């Protein structure tokens, strides 16, 4: 069913959101999703560094990157077979074949299951039996899985004896094996001894000896892996740290293990004692990777010790991501950007500004460092990093100059980054209203989408599922660029383009955008326009929607799914209604399908069927049964327009006074407190209008009226216009009953608006009691007052308090 | 009345002060955290985690009576299927027996004469919810069937204590009322999420006694709640950073709030200028008041415990501990 209005109270929040992961406090964002990062800190390759990019998840344990090491091992085997076996077949045997399958074949010398496998064909040759025997033993070692044994098994200790025997067998074979296999036997023995446990001192001594004799310093993946086991049995923390660093440097699979076990204190000790530049470079790399704070000083040292360090691009990228988190994220996404002076001990705007200034200074220092580094040791990722931080500094001219010197890269990551920078530069220094520039932007963006299918997927609300996206931060780069462009067009006043770009971006900013409905009805289609559009914006939007021959840029703007026309028209009429342009609102609603609200509104009952002039709180002669046959903004607006005609056209004072009273009623009913609030707003929440005080970072999570809550505060929350009209009715009428009703209307407005003032926002002072409310005492004997007191006994009580 | 303490660390370490501490405070009993059980998303099964190690250094804590405690995450009961509903009690029982055996060996080696063959009580700690209540209670029933000679006790937070009809009463022999972690740490308006005497008073409103024999535990621990722009970012544990936290180059203290003056990193958490840390340690005065309050409200308790043993913390709360023990 196509319904789209969200009426969300705090209590009902979790019940109404179409969300598959719901916590008690509503939906959640991952730490990476709430950051605006456009520099790919893993730009320089696949050496298992990705998980060490700057992220709040850094210290969480996730799956280590194993594939590069596996491939390296296969390459070594391929070389050993003199290229007789293919890398693919070696991989199949090494990493995809269960030990039992291999060992059965070995035992029976029956390799039928491996027909066509070039590695097996090579292994079974008589002259290669040594290698086959090794693999059989290695598969036995693979079957030993003490570390991943059933965690509830309490018999592991006994099994260790078998493992020890197997380790010793590997060790025994070292002596007679060829060098290549010697290293592998040594590695297996070391690994198994380590599994048995470090309490056994003689075994640990053997482990160290075998490592030194056969593996230390060797250029083989098994030596890289063995660093870990050697490190973990060291009693001296400095030596242990050195070998953990080596493992981090030489192996991808062991990086995470090493990273999590290296301690900053031990790193400092190692830094103090070592003269070795290789070790020093690694120490500083690790210091930089282990901090979520500023690491420029460490990075400078890495560059000093080893300007060609393979880790430098990643370290520079991490630092840029930090600066993006601190500087770009609040500006672009609105997270951490609500600093209110009234929040007691918590941060103030002034403090935040000071912090931004300091971060900007740090950015400058970083630019200086990177400029110098690029002069002496230019490398594509470092040059692209410099372009990016020029852009962050808004030094677009420098970014543009450097960009023009860079080639078209065949490396996908470099070229992607280059295109990203190009779009940022274009958005800021070229005339983006010009057709040619628009087409250039479209070309660049399309190239980005072609290079990176995840970017494309992200833009399609029909197929993108953020909960399935493990790389949500990286896959949103084009979305973030669209956001940058949206801002640029908004500044230029092109609200149609700006809104479409924002909507297309499909990115969560700290604003309520509804959720990504996959059909032509849904608040997310109009959320941005609800906040910023003018009625003419909607006209422009519809023109573009129906344009047949769209330019490449217009195609880029177009959503994967347009909303139906009446959704946009409904918004246009609603904006006009808010602005009290009732005639024009009526014309818009007349142009729409009469059943639109009934058929599409989730909560259409908030478009009442009782008359809009009947509040239920103030007695009215209006027959409450004479309402509307169907939920309809059109019928309600029609009534409001009729009332206004009575005010404008009638010469009878009492008729005009009654019309003012009814207009007051209609405006009260369409305020936050009234039965027809949905005429004014697309949702309602008990958090309004204080959501940004209480939940500054959670505006995206539940319905709020921001920024319209400020724009329409007086009329929507504080019933100003309704009060004014009640006051006018009171002043005009000579009829005691009508006067009493107008005063009761004023009283109602005052009660509700004071509730908002008192309960919701300390910044809104309570109204002092207006003199005319005092006058209500003079009407205590009217029928209207008595009626009101019957329906609402606290009126009398409230009046008593005024005395 | 027994004086008790929780030992909640993951390993035992050499501690030269513990003997004196036990003697001075006439501690009769320890609750020893044996292990946690948590749901593993990788293996799709409940996993024992952080099993207690360093048992060879546990002797001081084994001299008196002790109760093994197993902490089971609520997530475990959210996720387990029928198979695990049936087998988890067996697994937990076996694991407890396994650790008990290790402890026995240690006691033997250390020449400690155990007060009995095994500990008489087993405690399960779980912050259950309405949704997991049935599965958790079923687990407890089964555990009791498997260990009919043991007293099975559970920890009870203040919320289920107060809202007992909604949260249910666990089918066990006794309960331990945990008088801490009372309010939402994420809220700006919270004064102290670990312990606030006003909150405690509000939770102790039921006049009818809880339908289980109860003991009580009070906190002797705390932390800092870290806020960035009013948003809760995490917990900062002060353990090894007391000196840094007292450094006025980085922190300005106003009441229970530490404002960050200059960017600083504590245990990989990067605190930025303008961030704040809310001090969340119970005050001695509030603890003593709580001791009196509990004495009045729960007059039949048999054991008063503190959570948790750490020589630095117990030193910090020395007076409060002494005074509260003396009340009972």
């Amino acid at each position: 069913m196509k319904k789209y209005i969200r009426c969300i109270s705090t209590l009902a929040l979790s019940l109404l959101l179409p969300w598959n992961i719901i916590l008690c406090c509503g939906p959640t964002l991952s730490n990476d999703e709430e950051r605006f990062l456009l520099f790919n800190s893993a730009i320089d390759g696949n050496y298992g560094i990705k998980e060490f990019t700057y992220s709040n998840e850094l210290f969480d344990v996730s799956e280590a990157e194993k594939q590069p090491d596996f491939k390296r091992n296969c390459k070594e085997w391929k070389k050993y077979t003199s290229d007789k076996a293919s890398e693919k077949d070696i991989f199949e045997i090494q990493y995809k074949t269960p030990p039992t399958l291999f060992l059965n074949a070995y035992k029976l010398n029956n390799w039928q299951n491996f027909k066509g496998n070039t590695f097996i064909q090579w292994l079974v040759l008589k002259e290669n039996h040594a290698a086959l025997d090794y693999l059989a033993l290695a598969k036995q070692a693979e079957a030993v899985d003490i570390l991943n044994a059933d965690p509830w098994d309490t018999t592991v200790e006994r099994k260790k004896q078998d493992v020890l025997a197997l380790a010793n067998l590997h060790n025994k074979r070292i002596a007679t094996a060829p060098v290549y296999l010697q290293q592998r036997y040594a590695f297996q023995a070391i690994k198994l001894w380590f599994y048995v446990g470090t309490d056994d001192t003689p075994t640990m001594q053997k482990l160290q000896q075998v490592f030194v004799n056969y593996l230390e310093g060797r250029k083989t993946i098994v030596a890289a892996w063995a660093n870990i086991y050697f490190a973990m049995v060291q009693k001296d923390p400095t030596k242990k740290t050195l070998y953990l660093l080596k493992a981090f440097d030489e192996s991808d699979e062991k990086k995470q293990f090493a990273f999590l076990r290296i301690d900053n204190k031990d790193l400092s000790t190692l830094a103090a004692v070592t003269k070795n530049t290789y070790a020093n470079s690694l120490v500083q790399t690790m210091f930089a990777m282990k901090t979520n704070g500023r690491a420029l000083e460490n990075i400078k040292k890495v560059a000093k010790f080893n300007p060609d360090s393979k880790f430098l691009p990643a370290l520079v990228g991490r630092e840029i991501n930090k600066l993006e988190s601190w500087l770009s994220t609040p500006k672009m996404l609105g997270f951490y950007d609500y600093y209110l002076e009234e929040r007691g001990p918590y941060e103030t705007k002034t403090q935040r500004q000071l912090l931004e200034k300091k971060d900007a200074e740090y950015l400058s220092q970083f630019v200086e460092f990177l400029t110098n580094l690029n002069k002496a040791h230019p490398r594509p990722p470092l040059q692209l990093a410099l372009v990016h931080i020029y852009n962050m500094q808004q030094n677009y001219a420098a970014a543009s100059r450097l960009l023009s010197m860079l080639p078209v890269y065949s490396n996908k990551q470099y070229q992607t980054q280059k295109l990203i920078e190009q779009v940022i530069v274009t958005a800021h220094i070229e005339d983006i209203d010009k057709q040619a520039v628009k087409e250039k932007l479209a070309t660049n963006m399309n190239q980005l989408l072609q290079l990176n299918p995840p970017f494309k997927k992200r833009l399609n609300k029909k197929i993108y599922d953020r909960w399935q996206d493990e790389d949500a931060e990286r896959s949103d780069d084009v979305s973030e660029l669209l956001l940058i462009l949206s801002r640029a067009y908004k500044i230029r006043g092109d609200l149609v383009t700006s809104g479409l770009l924002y909507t297309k971006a499909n990115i969560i900013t700290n604003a309520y955008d509804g959720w990504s409905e996959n059909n032509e009805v849904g608040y997310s289609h109009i959320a941005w326009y609800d906040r910023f559009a003018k009625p003419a914006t909607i006209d422009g939007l519809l023109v573009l929607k129906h344009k047949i021959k769209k330019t490449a840029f217009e195609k880029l703007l177009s959503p994967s799914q347009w909303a139906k026309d009446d959704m946009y028209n409904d918004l246009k009429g609603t904006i006009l209604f808010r602005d009290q342009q009732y005639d024009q609102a009526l014309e818009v609603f007349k142009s729409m399908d009469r059943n639109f609200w009934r058929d599409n509104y989730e909560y259409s009952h908030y478009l009442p069927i009782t008359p809009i002039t009947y509040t239920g709180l103030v007695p009215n002669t209006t027959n409450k049964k004479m309402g509307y046959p169907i939920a309809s903004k059109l019928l309600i607006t029609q009534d409001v327009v009729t009332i206004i005609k009575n005010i404008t056209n009638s010469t009878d004072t009492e008729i005009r006074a009654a019309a003012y009273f009814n207009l007051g009623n209609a405006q009260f009913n369409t305020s936050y407190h009234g039965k027809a609030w949905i005429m004014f707003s697309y949702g309602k929440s008990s958090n309004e209008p204080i959501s940004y005080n209480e939940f500054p970072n959670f505006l995206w999570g539940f319905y709020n009226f921001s920024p319209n809550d400020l724009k329409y505060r007086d009329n929507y929350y504080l019933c100003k216009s309704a009060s004014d009209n009640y006051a006018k009715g009171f002043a005009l009428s000579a009829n005691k009953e009508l006067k009493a009703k107008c005063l009761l209307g004023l009283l109602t407005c005052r009660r509700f608006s004071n509730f908002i003032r008192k309960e919701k926002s300390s910044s809104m002072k309570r109204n002092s009691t207006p003199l005319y409310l005092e006058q209500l005492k003079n009407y205590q004997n009217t029928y209207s007052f008595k009626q009101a007191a019957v329906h609402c006994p606290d009126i009398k009580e409230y009046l008593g308090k005024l005395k | 009345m027994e004086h008790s303490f929780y030992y909640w660390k993951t390993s035992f370490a050499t501690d030269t002060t513990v003997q004196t501490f036990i003697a001075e405070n006439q501690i009769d009993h320890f609750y020893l955290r044996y292990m946690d059980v948590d749901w593993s998303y990788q293996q799709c099964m409940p996993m024992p985690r952080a099993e207690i190690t360093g048992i060879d250094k546990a002797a001081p804590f084994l001299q008196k009576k002790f109760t093994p405690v197993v902490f089971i995450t609520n997530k475990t009961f959210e996720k387990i299927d029928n198979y695990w509903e049936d087998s988890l009690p067996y697994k937990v029982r076996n694991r407890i027996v396994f650790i008990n055996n290790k402890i026995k060996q240690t006691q033997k080696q250390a020449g400690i004469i155990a007060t009995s063959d095994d500990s008489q009580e087993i405690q399960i700690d779980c912050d259950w919810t309405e949704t997991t209540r049935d599965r958790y209670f079923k687990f407890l029933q089964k555990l009791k069937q498997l260990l009919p000679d043991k007293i099975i006790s559970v920890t009870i937070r203040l919320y289920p204590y107060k809202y007992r009809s909604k949260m249910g009463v666990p089918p066990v022999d006794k309960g331990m009322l945990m008088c801490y972690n009372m309010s939402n740490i994420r809220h700006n308006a919270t004064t102290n999420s670990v312990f606030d005497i006003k909150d405690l008073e509000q939770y102790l409103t039921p006049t009818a006694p809880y339908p289980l024999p109860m003991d009580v535990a009070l906190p002797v621990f705390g932390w800092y709640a870290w806020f960035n722009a009013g948003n809760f970012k995490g917990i900062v544990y002060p353990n090894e950073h007391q000196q840094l936290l007292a450094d006025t180059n980085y922190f300005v203290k106003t009441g229970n709030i530490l404002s960050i003056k200059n960017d600083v990193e504590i245990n990989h958490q990067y605190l930025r200028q303008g961030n704040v840390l809310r001090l969340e340690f119970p005050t001695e005065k509030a603890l003593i008041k709580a001791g009196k309050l509990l004495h009045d409200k729960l007059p039949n308790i048999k054991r008063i415990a503190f959570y948790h043993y750490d020589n630095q913390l117990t030193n910090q709360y020395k007076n409060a501990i002494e005074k509260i023990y003396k009340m009972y």
Side-chain angles (χ1 to χ4, degrees), chain A residues 11-28:
Chain A
L11 191 65
L13 179 69
S14 60
L15 301 174
L16 293 177
L17 292 176
W19 212 247
N20 55 358
I21 296 180
I22 293 171
L23 301 176
C24 60
C25 300
T28 55

Side-chain angles (χ1 to χ4, degrees), chain A residues 254-266:
Chain A
K254 306 298 181 198
K255 271 189 172 56
Q256 188 187 72
F257 185 95
F259 179 87
L260 292 170
R261 282 156 187 82
I262 292 173
D263 184 87
N264 272 13
K265 273 186 213 156
D266 299 334

Side-chain angles (χ1 to χ4, degrees), chain B residues 245-265:
Chain B
L245 285 159
D247 189 337
T248 52
N249 289 316
Y250 295 105
F251 301 97
V252 181
K253 191 164 188 248
T254 320
N256 68 333
I257 297 289
L258 281 187
S259 302
I260 284 83
K261 204 167 146 190
N262 280 304
D263 293 359
V264 62
E265 191 167 19

